[in-house]
Amino acid sequence: MKLSVSSQGLSLIKNFEGCRLAAYQDSVGIWTIGYGHTSGVSKGQTITQAQADSFLKADCANAEKAVNGYDGRYHWNQNQFDALVSFTFNCGSRNLRTLLQNGQRTISEISAKIPAYNKAGGKVLKGLVRRRAAEKELFDKAGGNERCP
């Protein structure tokens, strides 16, 4: 069964990404718009709130696919899945693969490694420290096992 990000997971992403309807350069110079959308964004671009929500949905679908790719190994609960979708949304599927050591790490090892992904451009950023802490807290949160067989 494929999982989808819950409203709790979307709230986590939205909280840390924020929404900007005009293109801006992020902390490492990448053009970004909406809720952290980067694909095809250019200087001077503007979008509507509906477009921002659409980009978020599409970007989350890519992150969901990446995290679901490891579900057969880990059988994520909803909290773990949501935390890793937020992580993947922010860090990309290559960093997810590294975090999971391509499926070789245990759940506790994954949890312990989440906080290490707190740098952009080689510098520790307070916002990324807070985001990784929130993702780790959600990942470790009991419950979230409401999966259908």
Side-chain angles (χ1 to χ4, degrees):
M1 173 182 148
K2 300 289 182 197
L3 291 172
S4 296
V5 68
S6 72
S7 58
Q8 178 177 237
L10 282 174
S11 291
L12 179 66
I13 294 167
K14 286 180 173 183
N15 180 50
F16 282 101
E17 293 294 336
C19 184
R20 290 181 162 177
L21 301 180
Y24 65 97
Q25 287 183 292
D26 70 6
S27 61
V28 292
I30 297 171
W31 285 102
T32 306
I33 202 163
Y35 296 101
H37 181 76
T38 58
S39 180
V41 179
S42 57
K43 182 179 181 178
Q45 182 178 356
T46 60
I47 59 172
T48 65
Q49 184 63 52
Q51 287 171 307
D53 292 339
S54 178
F55 284 153
L56 177 61
K57 186 175 181 180
D59 292 341
C60 280
N62 292 333
E64 288 170 340
K65 182 178 178 183
V67 178
N68 271 316
Y70 291 94
D71 190 56
R73 159 75 170 94
Y74 292 105
H75 309 288
W76 309 119
N77 67 40
Q78 189 67 53
N79 292 334
Q80 293 166 334
F81 183 81
D82 287 348
L84 291 178
V85 167
S86 174
F87 175 91
T88 305
F89 184 93
N90 183 240
C91 296
S93 58
R94 286 185 187 171
N95 280 313
L96 173 68
R97 189 169 36 252
T98 302
L99 173 66
L100 304 181
Q101 219 172 36
N102 203 27
Q104 299 306 304
R105 283 201 169 115
T106 66
I107 293 291
S108 61
E109 289 170 335
I110 294 165
S111 173
K113 292 290 184 181
I114 290 172
Y117 292 80
N118 62 3
K119 297 175 189 74
K123 296 180 181 181
V124 173
L125 299 181
K126 289 180 184 178
L128 290 179
V129 170
R130 286 192 308 272
R131 184 174 188 153
R132 296 293 96 82
E135 290 165 349
K136 182 182 183 331
E137 180 180 349
L138 181 57
F139 187 87
D140 294 341
K141 187 176 174 185
N145 290 315
E146 302 79 24
R147 295 187 64 166
C148 297

